[in-house]
Amino acid sequence: QEPGEVQVPAGAEVSLGCQVLLAELWEMLWLEWVKEARQGVLCALRLRPSTPALAQPCAPNASHPRLAWRPPRATLSLRPASEDDAGRYLCRVILEI
């Protein structure tokens, strides 16, 4: 996950990256971006190895934040960042067997 820590002024753009590297073949994985445990999941994708690159808003009818998948990397974009976006973010990957 990168960057490790970043400070961004309100109105600026920020992208948080998560690289998914697996040593074995997989059929399905669940990728989530979480903002501080008490606020829950911001974005989630269910992916197959054949899933093409994609970009989408994290909520219907919203443009902020956005999640992009370009194998093997997931990027959460906050454009423009607001004061409400301040906090800790975690990329969580769950491999489904």
Side-chain angles (χ1 to χ4, degrees), residues 3-10 12-14 81:
E5 185 172 320
V6 65
Q7 292 184 357
V8 177
E13 297 180 3
V14 64

Side-chain angles (χ1 to χ4, degrees), residues 57-66:
C58 292
N61 304 319
S63 60
H64 178 86
R66 292 187 61 81

Side-chain angles (χ1 to χ4, degrees), residues 10-92:
E13 297 180 3
V14 64
S15 292
L16 307 174
C18 176
Q19 189 164 340
V20 180
L21 299 176
L22 299 169
E24 59 189 66
L25 295 176
W26 54 281
E27 290 187 31
M28 183 85 62
L29 66 84
W30 189 252
L31 186 136
E32 300 175 333
W33 274 99
V34 179
K35 181 180 178 191
E36 300 185 35
R38 67 181 179 273
Q39 293 189 12
V41 176
L42 276 178
C43 291
L45 284 176
R46 196 167 184 186
L47 303 166
R48 294 185 182 278
S50 60
T51 302
L54 59 87
Q56 65 184 40
C58 292
N61 304 319
S63 60
H64 178 86
R66 292 187 61 81
L67 179 59
W69 169 251
R70 288 181 185 81
R73 185 174 178 79
T75 304
L76 180 70
S77 299
L78 306 170
R79 297 177 181 171
S82 70
E83 290 183 19
D84 291 338
D85 293 323
R88 295 181 185 270
Y89 293 78
L90 172 70
C91 175
R92 182 167 48 200

